[in-house]
Amino acid sequence: MPELPEVEVVRAGLEPAVTGALITGVDVLDSRSLRRHDAASGTFIDVLEGRRILAAVRRGKFLWFPLENGTALVTHLGMSGQMLLRAPGVDDRLTRIRIGIESPDHGELLVNFVDQRIFGGMAVDRMLPTGDGFPGGFSGAVVGPALVPSQVAHIARDPLDPAFDDGRFVGVLGRKATGIKRALLDQTLISGIGNIYADEALWAAKVHYEQQSATLSGRRAVVLLAEIRAVLAKALAEGGTSFDAQYVNVNGVSGYFAHSLNAYGRQGQPCMRCGTAIRREKFMNRSSHFCPRCQRRR
């Protein structure tokens, strides 16, 4: 599943084209991609056509595009979703929703929402005030409105968000009676982190994935948070993690951070730090990758 860096690459790629753009047409090719849309607010096509997009915003793995009427087009990529910028008339296989826009700087364009497994989707949603009074999510704007879509309001801020509260995160982590990796995957505590980057950050911080969160000292928690940010920033700079053609940016180009991984997917290979073979163990219907020497359970 795409994690924060992959989604941010998409957001940043879309932002110059969609900011200030007028939505000129909408084609829904597969209604299953609208399962999150509340039809009571109006049909998806009718509430979008003729509206102007104000920005491209992200919180964790969620994207939204505020509209001039105070609502927002919310997008979640799910496991295989893509948002591809195309010239008019260019189609993509497995396009579920096609949105035509007139960009102030780039003219007529298409935004094709492509989704192989159809776990992602789009919806037009109402906006709510943020609980902390800060902008709802990360965007290229210097200061955004203190609003967040109702479908995203329960999602915690991500560690690259300027409004992320380090002290709150460390405090809540110290009270959680759960393994540290489970805590990192809890999107109501810290968003944007999935299986890949959790393994990478824990390896960098030398923390075992099953260590109880409450046993992590405040100092170690601060170190872990710093390593999370470093891993995410590195992945973002390198275009995100790409293992197959599903994970691409708005131009259909794959990321390449997979070549820089230290733990995830390296079972049986020597640890880059101590040379011990990386181990893989079952975890929450997935897997955890760690060094049994560097990441001893304390």
Side-chain angles (χ1 to χ4, degrees), residues 54-214:
L54 303 180
V57 190
R58 178 193 52 74
R59 179 184 287 199
K61 304 174 187 179
F62 279 87
L63 282 171
W64 69 89
F65 307 90
L67 304 174
E68 60 183 346
N69 66 344
T71 62
L73 171 61
V74 181
T75 304
H76 195 284
L77 300 180
M79 294 187 69
S80 59
Q82 303 169 15
M83 295 186 73
L84 303 176
L85 277 176
R86 300 302 194 201
V90 176
D91 200 8
D92 291 287
R93 182 174 172 270
L94 301 178
T95 296
R96 308 301 179 180
I97 299 172
R98 182 185 299 116
I99 299 176
I101 62 173
E102 178 69 35
S103 170
D105 298 322
H106 304 279
E108 292 185 14
L109 292 169
L110 291 177
V111 179
N112 289 341
F113 179 72
V114 177
D115 193 359
Q116 177 178 333
R117 301 183 183 180
I118 320 184
F119 290 150
M122 289 183 159
V124 177
D125 193 17
R126 71 187 192 281
M127 303 292 282
L128 301 176
T130 57
D132 54 16
F134 291 107
F138 183 84
S139 72
V142 177
V143 178
L147 298 170
V148 62
S150 68
Q151 297 183 16
V152 190
H154 68 289
I155 300 295
R157 293 188 180 275
D158 62 67
L160 299 186
D161 189 323
F164 184 86
D165 189 334
D166 292 21
R168 177 186 177 278
F169 170 76
V170 172
V172 174
L173 199 64
R175 298 190 297 271
K176 279 186 100 53
T178 186
I180 184 63
K181 184 173 178 179
R182 287 178 181 268
L184 296 183
L185 298 181
D186 180 355
Q187 302 297 297
T188 64
L189 172 63
I190 182 171
S191 66
I193 303 173
N195 204 41
I196 297 173
Y197 298 120
D199 281 358
E200 290 299 299
L202 290 168
W203 179 88
K206 300 182 180 180
V207 176
H208 192 283
Y209 73 95
E210 284 189 333
Q211 180 170 340
Q212 290 294 294
S213 300

Side-chain angles (χ1 to χ4, degrees), residues 3-14:
E3 301 181 28
L4 185 156
E6 290 77 45
V7 180
E8 175 57 23
V9 166
V10 172
R11 187 208 67 79
L14 289 171

